[in-house]
Amino acid sequence: MVTEKDEAWGGTTRRIYEALKAQILGGTYGPEDRLPSTRALAAELGVSRTTVTAAYEQLLSEGFLESRQGAPSRVALLHAHEGVKPLPAGTASRSAPRPAAPVRLSRFGAALGDGPTWVPPQSGGLIADFRYGDLSAADFPAEAWRRSVNAALRRRQPRLAYDDPGGSAELRAALQAYLWRARGLRCEPNQIIIVNGSQQGLDLAARVLLDPGDRVAIEDPGYVMARRVFAAAGAEVVPIAVDGEGLRTEALAGLDAVRLAYVTPSHQFPLGGVLSARRRQELLAWSDRSGAYVIEDDYDGEYRYDIRPIPPLQTMAHAENVLYLGTISKSLSPMLRLGYLVMPPPLYPVFAAAKQLVDRHSPSLEQEALATMIASGAYERHIRRSRRSNGRRREALLAALKAELGDEVTISGADAGLHVVVWFERLDRTQEGELIARARAAGIGLYPISPLYGADDAGHRPDRAGIVMGYASLEVPQIGQGVAALAKLLGDWLD
């Protein structure tokens, strides 16, 4: 119901409130000074008394005024209020800006630098934007998702309450069955924690498993947001070089006091190597000896083209310290913030408690909708369609790169996933930034590989310029046009 007071709080009331507040802060009205009565001020301004009363009541609620029964309103003793002092007499509250107070951050806050690294999509006006991580909106199964959401809404609950921090029982049961069918991974529902995307899974792991100063081994190059979350937790990040067989596990043997290793063994990000069977065994043996945990990020496990699906580390012997991290960001949408952690049973209670402290639980409706979609088979039907669509995009990109650039480039990581890495044979690594800028000016969105390497790449980064080319958000004609424009740019620049 809209009250008379609500209606009074309009433009006029706000102007009166702001003018009085400025006069109080500016010293026109000092502590314990009387203000005009509401009747007198209303008559002077030519407005209703209700309008003035609403402004006074707002100042009273904020502690600028004091009022006693039968007595006029007075300015409160502002200097007695913590952090509130009147300005020197004669100055206005909107005069010269006050110097900004120094920002005092925790160690965690200081580690976050200047803020998020997110950059909005730049597809407007571009021939093609090869940003990796994005998906085509046309591939989203809108009708199947709508039916699943509606089905979840029809299952009315007797009351609205906080949910299980570990996640929906229905979704965890559906994921248990799906992971067995699709990845050969055996687990129990009470080993699965539902998280807001794989990034929250990494954040929870950092909170639960690491103390400041602990060492974390990560692939180099690798996923920047994993490196940042561990560094923000106060860990010492130790980059380990990768090659065609994935992480160079022999480097782990010479490291002391490593508490955690982060790997992408089924499709190394970004170079695309698959961790060989020998190195998988070496990694698990190292974990068993040292007691270190291993986070296995299977970020795009649904997309395999010329190779068979690679079984997760958790399916192998001596995998007691492995946490398997999955997401729907590459299969459905990165905007549906849902992922999951499959962990050793002893870790479940503390991870569920950490999840509860962070945000209580992931959104229930989306969890129930995804559970319905998986149980009905619609999710796997969508993945098969998406795999075919992205297979066509991949073929178009590889064909265009071969036809337009030929021996000018070397391609890696094309057997799986939704991106490839392209190395330019005639461009030095120092020219990478210029390549990106020239491409942008020509209407092509390209993204450098250099930020994916650690600050000190220890000499294992190639000397050539390299880019990561995502193709899942583009249509086949766009891919061809974008590569043709890139070839023209390089021809004009280098020839």
Side-chain angles (χ1 to χ4, degrees):
M1 171 183 283
V2 178
T3 66
E4 183 180 9
K5 178 181 175 182
D6 294 328
E7 292 178 339
W9 188 253
T12 302
T13 300
R14 182 173 295 280
R15 285 193 292 273
I16 294 170
Y17 155 79
E18 290 178 347
L20 289 172
K21 182 177 176 181
Q23 290 173 20
I24 292 169
L25 290 175
T28 302
Y29 288 108
E32 298 192 313
D33 283 355
R34 293 182 180 184
L35 262 66
S37 69
T38 55
R39 188 186 305 276
L41 187 58
E44 180 181 340
L45 298 177
V47 298
S48 73
R49 186 180 180 188
T50 301
T51 299
V52 176
T53 299
Y56 275 41
E57 288 178 349
Q58 183 64 28
L59 291 166
L60 279 164
S61 69
E62 294 181 15
F64 287 98
L65 299 182
E66 295 175 345
S67 179
R68 292 184 295 275
Q69 185 69 30
S73 298
R74 294 175 180 269
V75 175
L77 295 173
L78 295 183
H79 63 273
H81 290 259
E82 182 179 357
V84 181
K85 295 183 180 179
L87 297 174
T91 62
S93 65
R94 293 183 182 178
S95 59
R98 301 169 65 181
V103 177
R104 294 181 292 275
L105 298 175
S106 67
R107 178 196 49 75
F108 177 83
L112 299 181
D114 297 327
T117 56
W118 176 79
V119 177
Q122 303 290 318
S123 55
L126 296 181
I127 298 169
D129 187 1
F130 291 97
R131 190 161 86 155
Y132 53 94
D134 294 355
L135 304 180
S136 171
D139 287 356
F140 183 76
E143 183 59 28
W145 182 251
R146 183 189 63 80
R147 288 195 300 268
S148 298
V149 170
N150 287 342
L153 287 171
R154 286 194 294 270
R155 294 194 292 270
R156 291 184 177 274
Q157 302 296 323
R159 64 176 62 189
L160 302 179
Y162 293 115
D163 214 335
D164 185 342
S168 153
E170 289 78 9
L171 178 54
R172 286 187 284 163
L175 284 170
Q176 177 201 28
Y178 168 73
L179 289 171
W180 167 238
R181 291 193 304 270
R183 307 294 283 120
L185 193 158
R186 290 184 182 274
C187 65
E188 297 300 325
N190 61 4
Q191 290 179 253
I192 302 174
I193 296 273
I194 306 301
V195 292
N196 296 336
S198 59
Q199 192 63 36
Q200 188 182 51
L202 293 171
D203 180 62
L204 289 178
R207 292 169 184 263
V208 171
L209 302 178
L210 297 173
D211 286 319
D214 284 345
R215 308 184 86 192
V216 178
I218 66 168
E219 300 165 329
D220 194 43
Y223 181 42
V224 170
M225 294 296 282
R227 187 166 71 224
R228 290 196 71 199
V229 78
F230 297 137
E236 178 190 350
V237 176
V238 182
I240 306 294
V242 301
D243 58 21
E245 294 184 57
L247 185 79
R248 294 181 181 175
T249 49
E250 68 274 10
L252 295 171
L255 295 177
D256 296 327
V258 173
R259 292 286 301 276
L260 181 68
Y262 169 80
V263 294
T264 52
S266 296
H267 183 228
Q268 198 279 325
F269 181 81
L271 298 183
V274 174
L275 193 63
S276 66
R278 175 181 60 83
R279 289 189 178 176
R280 286 168 179 257
Q281 292 170 352
E282 291 174 353
L283 175 61
L284 294 177
W286 166 81
S287 172
D288 190 49
R289 288 192 310 271
S290 65
Y293 288 102
V294 175
I295 296 179
E296 175 182 14
D297 189 349
D298 194 14
Y299 66 99
D300 62 1
E302 292 81 9
Y303 299 102
R304 298 290 183 272
Y305 304 111
D306 296 337
I307 58 176
R308 294 178 58 82
I310 307 300
L313 291 173
Q314 271 207 357
T315 64
M316 301 177 65
H318 307 295
E320 291 80 5
N321 292 336
V322 175
L323 290 81
Y324 178 87
L325 181 60
T327 179
I328 65 167
S329 293
K330 302 296 185 292
S331 57
L332 274 179
S333 169
M335 300 173 75
L336 292 173
R337 303 305 304 142
L338 286 176
Y340 47 91
L341 270 170
V342 183
M343 64 193 60
L347 289 180
Y348 181 86
V350 68
F351 267 81
K355 170 68 175 173
Q356 185 180 40
L357 285 177
V358 169
D359 63 0
R360 286 194 178 265
H361 58 80
S362 296
S364 299
L365 178 61
E366 285 86 345
Q367 290 189 66
E368 298 298 335
L370 181 58
T372 298
M373 196 171 181
I374 294 173
S376 69
Y379 180 71
E380 285 165 275
R381 288 194 294 273
H382 161 69
I383 286 176
R384 288 193 290 270
R385 287 193 297 269
S386 185
R387 189 184 294 124
R388 289 193 294 269
S389 297
N390 284 307
R392 289 191 290 270
R393 295 181 178 110
R394 166 185 168 271
E395 291 170 1
L397 177 59
L398 295 178
L401 288 170
K402 182 178 179 180
E404 298 286 352
L405 294 172
D407 294 337
E408 293 285 321
V409 296
T410 300
I411 302 166
S412 64
D415 290 335
L418 301 174
H419 72 271
V420 299
V421 172
V422 178
W423 299 100
F424 293 85
E425 299 301 326
R426 290 203 290 160
L427 290 178
D428 184 84
R429 57 187 291 184
T430 61
Q431 296 175 287
E432 205 170 80
E434 185 177 358
L435 169 64
I436 302 305
R438 285 176 176 266
R440 178 70 58 180
I444 315 158
L446 298 182
Y447 300 88
I449 196 170
S450 289
L452 305 185
Y453 283 87
D456 179 8
D457 59 45
H460 57 259
R461 187 223 191 275
D463 288 332
R464 297 161 293 169
I467 59 173
V468 184
M469 298 186 76
Y471 50 81
S473 65
L474 299 171
E475 297 307 318
V476 167
Q478 287 179 286
I479 293 171
Q481 293 163 9
V483 175
L486 175 59
K488 182 179 185 304
L489 179 158
L490 290 171
D492 293 343
W493 178 17
L494 301 177
D495 293 339

